[in-house]
Amino acid sequence: MEPGRIRKLDETVVNRIAAGEVVQRPANALKEMIENSLDAKSTQIQVTVKQGGLKLLQIQDNGTGIRKDDLEIVCERFTTSKLREFGDLTAISTYGFRGEALASISHVAHLTITTRTSDSKCAWKASYIDSQLTGQPKPCAGNQGTQITVEDLFYNVSTRRKALKSGTEEYLKVAEVVGRYAVHNASVGFTLKKQGESAADIRTQPNSTVTDNIRTVYGPHVAKELLELRCEDTNLKFTATGYITNANYSVKKCVFLLFINHRLVDSTALRKAIESVYASYLPKNTHPFLYLSLEIAPELVDVNVHPTKHEVHFLNEEAVIEKIQQAVETKLLGCNASRTFYTQALLPGASIVSEETEESSGTSNKLSVAKDSKDKVYAHQMIRTDSRDQKLDKFFSKPEMKADDAEENLIDKSQQSSKNEETRREIQLTSVLTLISQLETNCHSGLREAVKDMTFVGCVSPQHGLIQHGNKLYLTNTTSLSEELFYQILLTDFSNFGALRLSKPACIYELAMMALELEDSGWSEADGPKEELASYIVSLLKSKALMLDDYFSLQIDEDGKIITLPYLLDDYVPGMEGLPMYVLRLATEVDWDSEQDCFQTFCRETAKFFSIRQNSLPNDEGCERGWQWMVEHALYPAMRKTLLPPQHFAQDTTFLQIANLTELYRVFERC
Ligand code: ADP
Ligand code: MG
């Protein structure tokens, strides 16, 4: 048989194969892009995906941006702003170093970059295929920072496309990457959402703490059982810091967040070593949550291993692992000892634990462990027989990553809410996006956490509620809370509202006349005749009808009648007695001239109208769904889910602490 002719592969094919090595799935590409955003000193990073990132993977940051002149070459291989000489390789402090990520992505997807530097008058937008610009960069509007859009990933690699059928599974990986970077970079605010959805699946605030973010991403159950870990060794030139769960906490699958020199990696060897310590503290087949940040002198890390960069090796791996293992053990022992003492004081004899209770009662009764631990052989005392154990595995190739409950929850949410993904309109107006980002920057992170966990206790009046958080009881101002909630919904669901049809169209002229009769309107002779004002209001609002209908589902007909109002929240109807004042204030309080101010003031006024007030009693008692029902079942649940409490809520009387149970208990103890 004739041997096959050896031919040189077409260059684009070579590039595509190489790119497939670097970018194996959406989460891979995302990781590279997050690292670029962090390198660019961003403090806000927003990720938006569609179909788990296969259809769309977008990342927006507020970092330094890319100079217009660099746009031409930024996607070429080995183009980087981060490395100039070979010597730099040994002292890398930024994440990227080989200038390969963007190039690779452009070979397997449609890539678009929109970016603006601080000294540029506008943003520039450029698209790429196979490392090359598809046309000259175009000027456009945009804030400082960079937005990278990756569409139709693997459109030209059918095998890879077929292998990654499930958007849900890819989404899980994407969420995992975002969640992990959010924990590790607590000073940066991260958001992850599915395109077209207003609620984010992950949202952390800038300037949070690591524990804040563990709570936000992995839930309060993990967060309340954390032990801080710190260990360093000057000889081995490494420092490890992090948080690990104590023996009260366990999950089905180990969750291990590992960063080496701030790069997300995975290490089976290290995980196994740590888990072997936990084996004697946790019930069988359960595992801890671990977050570790390992900093090793750059000259000891071999970063130049593989383009995927998940495999990182360092010198003295075994010795370092052993040190960390000891630190974990000391932590757990210390913690266990104090618990033993405490529990024994309550339950004498509890240290005699049978096999069964040990298994079923989880972790809290494992008092015998401390004594036995001397007999146990920990992994670090064992001799390793398999050299593969020493490898820092590729992060994404592990099948067991489905993992942890918190991460699983994300799938559930994605399945529930993906229904309307197709029909939603994406907000593109800079004005609205700016207002939304203001909500985020102005959010009080402590209050956000409290609101998320609050328990609704009851209504004092339509205006006031009682909530419990931790062991504190608060009197809440439901009016201002609901106003803020509706204001935020109006912005985040912008142009996606359903319509609330009035049973009878409401004549704006009559409403305006009614409002002018009210003392609250502040009308005086000097304002001119009421009829004239009312006619003016009708013509003003009619002239805005198209926009109001399109963006807010506020429909006004030819005759100047309101047909529909926006439908802002399921199971909630505003009190209609506020409608006359609302119409009047739309004319007097809304700034119709500048786009951003217009949306802001319009949303504010609409939110005021929707907020629950003293006399907004849509139904009297006896009716099935009166105001109390709406407050409990519509307003407070929605606040828990999405409300970003503005800073001033921490100072004003929105939350008034009226009791602290620990103090109460102390009082009782004295009696
Ligand atoms: P590397 O990060 O290894 O340098 P990449 O291909 O990931 O290579 O990125 C190429 C270059 O593009 C970077 O060196 C950087 O100058 C620029 N860049 C990429 N993403 C961003 C971003 N989000 N903000 C600012 N610059 C960026
Ligand atoms: Mg990079």
Side-chain angles (χ1 to χ4, degrees), residues 32-33 36-37 39-40 61 64-66 74 79-82 96-103 146 148 309:
E32 294 296 326
M33 294 193 291
N36 283 344
S37 294
D39 283 346
D61 69 40
T64 55
I66 301 171
V74 78
T79 309
T80 173
S81 58
K82 297 161 195 168
F97 62 94
R98 44 174 86 237
E100 219 159 357
L102 290 182
T146 304
I148 299 197
K309 292 186 271 177

Side-chain angles (χ1 to χ4, degrees), residues 469-616:
H469 179 256
N471 43 26
K472 301 200 174 84
L473 193 62
Y474 294 88
L475 182 66
T476 48
N477 186 330
T478 313
T479 305
S480 60
L481 281 167
S482 61
E483 179 188 321
E484 190 57 34
L485 174 72
F486 288 122
Y487 176 69
Q488 298 184 0
I489 291 175
L490 279 155
L491 288 174
T492 49
D493 277 355
F494 187 86
S495 82
N496 283 296
F497 301 108
L500 200 62
R501 192 165 293 277
L502 301 185
S503 50
K504 202 169 130 254
C507 172
I508 296 178
Y509 182 85
E510 283 168 25
L511 291 169
M513 286 301 282
M514 280 163 72
L516 289 164
E517 295 296 333
L518 298 171
E519 211 178 306
D520 279 356
S521 73
W523 178 85
S524 74
E525 301 263 322
D527 298 324
K530 289 174 187 162
E531 291 77 7
E532 239 170 65
L533 288 173
S535 305
Y536 162 74
I537 294 174
V538 176
S539 64
L540 174 74
L541 295 184
K542 269 176 71 178
S543 73
K544 309 290 179 198
L546 269 182
M547 184 267 279
L548 291 176
D549 186 16
D550 191 25
Y551 291 156
F552 298 105
S553 300
L554 174 59
Q555 204 182 332
I556 297 170
D557 70 3
E558 286 291 300
D559 307 330
K561 289 186 174 135
I562 298 178
I563 313 282
T564 63
L565 294 168
Y567 184 62
L568 299 186
L569 184 62
D570 283 342
D571 298 321
Y572 186 86
V573 184
M576 289 301 157
E577 81 298 328
L579 199 53
M581 267 317 259
Y582 174 52
V583 163
L584 176 63
R585 290 177 66 93
L586 284 184
T588 58
E589 307 299 319
V590 174
D591 173 358
W592 295 98
D593 297 328
S594 100
E595 184 181 294
Q596 185 169 326
D597 291 346
C598 170
F599 290 147
Q600 178 174 28
T601 47
F602 176 86
C603 292
R604 196 40 84 186
E605 288 308 319
T606 307
K608 282 203 175 108
F609 164 59
F610 268 79
S611 70
I612 191 145
R613 278 152 289 127
Q614 183 55 51
N615 39 17
S616 59

